[in-house]
Amino acid sequence: MFKKIGPGVLVAAAFVGPGTLTMCTLAGARFGYALIWALLVSVLATIVLQGMAGRIGVIAQTGLVDVVRDELKKPWARRFVVIVVLSAILIGNAAYEAGNIGGATLGLEQLFPSAQIVSFYPAIVGIFIFVLLWFSSYKILERVFVGLVGIMGVSFLICALMTKPSIYDILKGAFVPTMPEGGLFTVIALVGTTVVPYNLFLHASLVKQKWKSSSELKTVKWDTIISIALGGLVSMAILVTAASAPIDHINNALDMAKGLEPLFGKMAVYFMAIGLLAAGITSAITAPLAAAFVASSCFDWGGNMEDKRFKMVWTFVLLCGVFFLSFDITPIEVIQFAQVANGLLLPIMAILLLWIVNKKTVMGEHGNTLVQNILGFAIVGFSIFLGIKSILKVMGVY
């Protein structure tokens, strides 16, 4: 099965980005092992949702937006969904791309701290990603991601092992849920950085690039489970490292690495920097790619990665990230708008996914089982809660 792993790796790489690493670091530093269960629940929810998106991609052989648009018969409903999807994914990913490139830049700065070229690191990362996306086919991208996720996983697991964590405390934190005082918002943030709306569109589009027959659904299932579980393991390794490290006042992964340096030498910083660089690059690639797939579906361009319009979209998102980071610009209003759109998008897409995957006209005999529907409804309920929380936060209620 490991030889057949493909699109799931890109999904895992997408959610294990700088934002997730920061939240896992803060969760471990503030609450020890107590919130590992929240990460475990997040990974299980992601596997369920991405599994549904992957099945739709194989059976329908089209993008998620295309299926939704075809199944929604009311013109106003189609327009509303397309507007929300475009706003959340295209505008949102353009606004957040600076953070992804920033994570990669932070890793580079630790590996090569040359004052003369540090200011050029965002552009260097941007050029590397541009060349990779412009000249690579899906198969090449898949191999690159398998390599990057492998590097990232090994780096963070080594950091976790360096701290000699308590296995008993890890198992207790994973399987005995507790809610420490002040931990609710950290739980919500951990789930929110793992269950990412744009990954649903990315997964469905990539799956149809690789697999064409319902006979391959078992492969799709295991690709999703193995890849996302590995991504969850990386996130947990960061949380465990932060929980085990004898350091106060940790704000991000590199703070943690610098704190470990007196105990384990420069290698701690290097392993963490390599992991952060890989995490930043993978997320900085998948965000523009997801935006391009979504635009392609919304405007009915056919979903061809070689299409010039497809390349223009991911180029725009990538350039926005490089520009905002290079000139230290934070487009607050754009980010707030994207947060509201994403707050709407996750519950809407969870509901639509559950609806479509139960439609025999789309899925035939490959619809949800009773257990999958029960899990799906539970995730829909939680996604509505997350969406409301996200919107209220932007409005200043939280």
Side-chain angles (χ1 to χ4, degrees):
M1 294 307 302
F2 280 95
K3 291 180 181 178
K4 296 180 179 179
I5 283 180
V9 172
L10 276 76
V11 173
F15 77 74
V16 186
T20 301
L21 299 184
T22 298
M23 280 315 307
C24 291
T25 299
L26 294 177
R30 292 173 183 173
F31 305 107
Y33 304 108
L35 297 183
I36 294 178
W37 66 267
L39 263 182
L40 193 59
V41 169
S42 305
V43 170
L44 292 174
T46 304
I47 288 172
V48 172
L49 287 178
Q50 297 296 157
M52 289 193 280
R55 263 187 295 147
I56 291 170
V58 173
I59 300 300
Q61 281 297 298
T62 188
L64 206 51
V65 177
D66 301 276
V67 181
V68 170
R69 197 175 52 208
D70 290 344
E71 293 303 315
L72 289 174
K73 305 305 179 186
K74 300 285 186 183
W76 68 266
R78 284 199 300 270
R79 282 195 295 270
F80 174 74
V81 170
V82 167
I83 289 169
V84 171
V85 169
L86 269 178
S87 300
I89 307 300
L90 186 59
I91 298 173
N93 285 10
Y96 300 142
E97 181 69 350
N100 295 326
I101 296 173
T105 300
L106 203 58
L108 270 179
E109 287 176 6
Q110 293 304 309
L111 293 171
F112 308 104
S114 172
Q116 288 80 18
I117 60 172
V118 160
S119 59
F120 296 103
Y121 280 160
I124 291 170
V125 171
I127 291 168
F128 172 75
I129 294 169
F130 178 87
V131 170
L132 190 63
L133 283 172
W134 190 271
F135 294 105
S136 297
S137 64
Y138 166 71
K139 286 185 178 179
I140 294 173
L141 280 178
E142 186 179 277
R143 288 168 189 159
V144 169
F145 271 80
V146 168
L148 286 172
V149 170
I151 291 168
M152 180 167 60
V154 169
S155 298
F156 291 139
L157 284 172
I158 288 173
C159 286
L161 292 172
M162 278 181 171
T163 61
K164 297 180 181 178
S166 165
I167 302 300
Y168 171 78
D169 289 339
I170 291 172
L171 292 174
K172 183 180 176 183
F175 298 108
V176 183
T178 57
M179 183 63 70
E181 186 177 349
L184 177 60
F185 293 121
T186 303
V187 169
I188 293 170
L190 285 172
V191 177
T193 59
T194 307
V195 187
V196 183
Y198 83 69
N199 279 344
L200 300 172
F201 303 95
L202 183 66
H203 198 191
S205 296
L206 291 175
V207 160
K208 73 181 181 68
Q209 301 268 340
K210 182 161 185 171
W211 292 300
K212 306 295 182 184
S213 168
S214 60
S215 64
E216 295 173 301
L217 279 173
K218 189 175 180 181
T219 305
V220 177
K221 173 186 172 182
W222 283 108
D223 169 56
T224 303
I225 291 172
I226 292 171
S227 298
I228 293 173
L230 288 173
L233 189 62
V234 171
S235 297
M236 288 180 195
I238 284 290
L239 190 152
V240 166
T241 305
S244 307
I247 313 160
D248 296 323
H249 308 299
I250 300 174
N251 293 312
N252 58 52
L254 277 178
D255 283 349
M256 181 167 59
K258 289 173 184 174
L260 292 173
E261 188 178 341
L263 296 173
F264 305 111
K266 275 285 185 183
M267 292 309 294
V269 177
Y270 290 148
F271 280 124
M272 195 67 73
I274 290 168
L276 193 57
L277 174 61
I281 288 177
T282 52
S283 293
I285 294 172
T286 52
L289 205 56
F293 276 123
V294 165
S296 182
S297 290
C298 288
F299 298 117
D300 201 19
W301 294 340
N304 182 3
M305 290 177 67
E306 297 303 316
D307 190 300
K308 288 183 180 178
R309 295 166 296 185
F310 184 94
K311 290 184 174 183
M312 283 176 62
V313 173
W314 63 249
T315 300
F316 167 75
V317 173
L318 181 59
L319 286 176
C320 283
V322 174
F323 178 79
F324 292 147
L325 188 63
S326 297
F327 295 96
D328 198 23
I329 298 170
T330 305
I332 298 297
E333 291 80 7
V334 178
I335 290 173
Q336 287 178 334
F337 175 78
Q339 286 174 329
V340 171
N342 271 293
L344 286 171
L345 182 60
L346 181 57
I348 288 172
M349 286 312 303
I351 292 166
L352 288 174
L353 263 181
L354 203 54
W355 172 55
I356 290 167
V357 88
N358 280 289
K359 284 184 73 73
K360 287 193 176 295
T361 52
V362 178
M363 302 300 293
E365 61 184 20
H366 302 292
N368 266 9
T369 63
L370 177 61
V371 173
Q372 286 171 325
N373 276 330
I374 291 171
L375 291 172
F377 278 112
I379 293 168
V380 164
F382 194 65
S383 68
I384 291 171
F385 171 71
L386 277 177
I388 292 171
K389 177 261 175 188
S390 177
I391 293 168
L392 290 177
K393 183 179 178 181
V394 174
M395 293 171 62
V397 177
Y398 282 117

